[in-house]
Amino acid sequence: MDKFNLSMKGLDELFSSQEMRDEEKLAKIREIPLSEIDMFPGHPFKVLDNEDMQHLAESISIHGVVTPATVRQKPNGRYELISGHRRKRACELAGLETLRCEIVDMSDDEATILMVESNLHRSVILPSEKAFSYKMRLEAIKRQGQRTTSTCTPVVYKSSGVKSVSLIGEETGESREQIRRYIRLTELIPPLLNLADSGALKLRPAVELSYIDKENQELIANSGIVPSYAQAQKLREQYDEYGCIDTDILAEKKTASKPRKLSLDGSLRKFIPPTVKDNELEDYIRKALEAYSKDNKE
């Protein structure tokens, strides 16, 4: 019989209509002065005053903030911004004094998880942003020991390192190894991290350099040379063995990668026009697959 005992709260939730729930949510949405809203501590995503931001500011000046930002109230009465850092900045640029917000009640870890999840939908995410957001998300999962689905149903989740990384992988589409690589970037000094964000320093060599201490990383950054993967491996091996590095490694000529040559056997080559040369096969096949994919979508 115990399973039929419902609390009053359970009955209220059972018989409440969607309209009532929507009204309750609306009651938590209000205009909050920008001067009372603080950034999320350690927010890893950059808010840039670029062309996209200008378009957002223009849209908000005309239509207002369509999707409310998410905040939680702090003990001192101010508000902490969880989701909506770009919207807040756009309001400032548009000359507005308030931001339309939904006020939620969340723990530190719940707020961290929501902050990261809401920003990972951006079209462009820099390596440094992935690095620190994945790290924050992983630490929050480990502390929390459980997560909440989009329907707010508690889901018990063992927070071992491997399983926590796997969870992030499921949410982001990244492999476990790729997530670990990004998290390693949090060990880089800012100049090297900036090189990774610009694309000059690739992910794999950046990971190798992350195992070298900050002092020796400074030597690498000051050399003015961006290490290749092979050079980064040598620097790490040298550091592991001697505790220091020799930047002469960076002066070594980078080995040029040999162009890949694609070859097909007779059963497949017959589908390719004879005018297409062997060194043009890869480009031809790629374009053919793109056309095929486009036709299927249409």
Side-chain angles (χ1 to χ4, degrees), residues 177-244:
E177 281 306 309
Q178 194 75 340
I179 290 169
R180 290 192 181 99
R181 290 186 188 112
Y182 276 116
I183 291 176
R184 282 301 314 175
L185 300 190
T186 62
E187 301 298 326
L188 290 177
I189 61 174
L192 294 180
L193 197 54
N194 290 337
L195 287 175
D197 279 344
S198 71
L201 180 63
K202 303 304 180 184
L203 179 60
R204 298 296 289 274
V207 170
E208 295 295 321
L209 299 182
S210 73
Y211 290 95
I212 299 172
D213 68 13
K214 303 295 188 286
E215 183 178 351
N216 283 282
Q217 283 187 34
E218 290 284 357
L219 295 177
I220 297 169
N222 293 335
S223 73
I225 301 174
V226 180
S228 65
Y229 183 43
Q231 289 172 330
Q233 284 181 310
K234 287 183 179 179
L235 289 168
R236 179 185 172 183
E237 290 169 2
Q238 191 178 66
Y239 176 76
D240 288 343
E241 185 171 356
Y242 302 107
C244 61

Side-chain angles (χ1 to χ4, degrees), residues 98-160:
T98 62
L99 173 63
R100 186 165 176 254
C101 300
E102 178 185 0
I103 303 172
V104 297
D105 183 16
M106 288 186 169
S107 68
D108 291 347
D109 290 333
E110 289 170 336
T112 296
I113 291 170
L114 177 59
M115 182 275 295
V116 172
E117 288 179 346
S118 62
N119 281 279
L120 287 178
H121 298 295
R122 293 185 181 188
S123 57
V124 178
I125 305 177
L126 297 175
S128 65
E129 295 174 329
K130 285 189 176 184
F132 286 99
S133 63
Y134 287 173
K135 183 177 182 179
M136 292 175 72
R137 178 79 167 90
L138 181 61
E139 291 173 347
I141 293 174
K142 287 180 177 179
R143 286 192 302 266
Q144 194 180 47
Q146 67 176 33
R147 67 185 178 94
T148 302
T149 67
S150 58
T151 57
C152 297
T153 304
V155 178
V156 176
Y157 194 87
K158 293 182 180 179
S159 58
S160 65

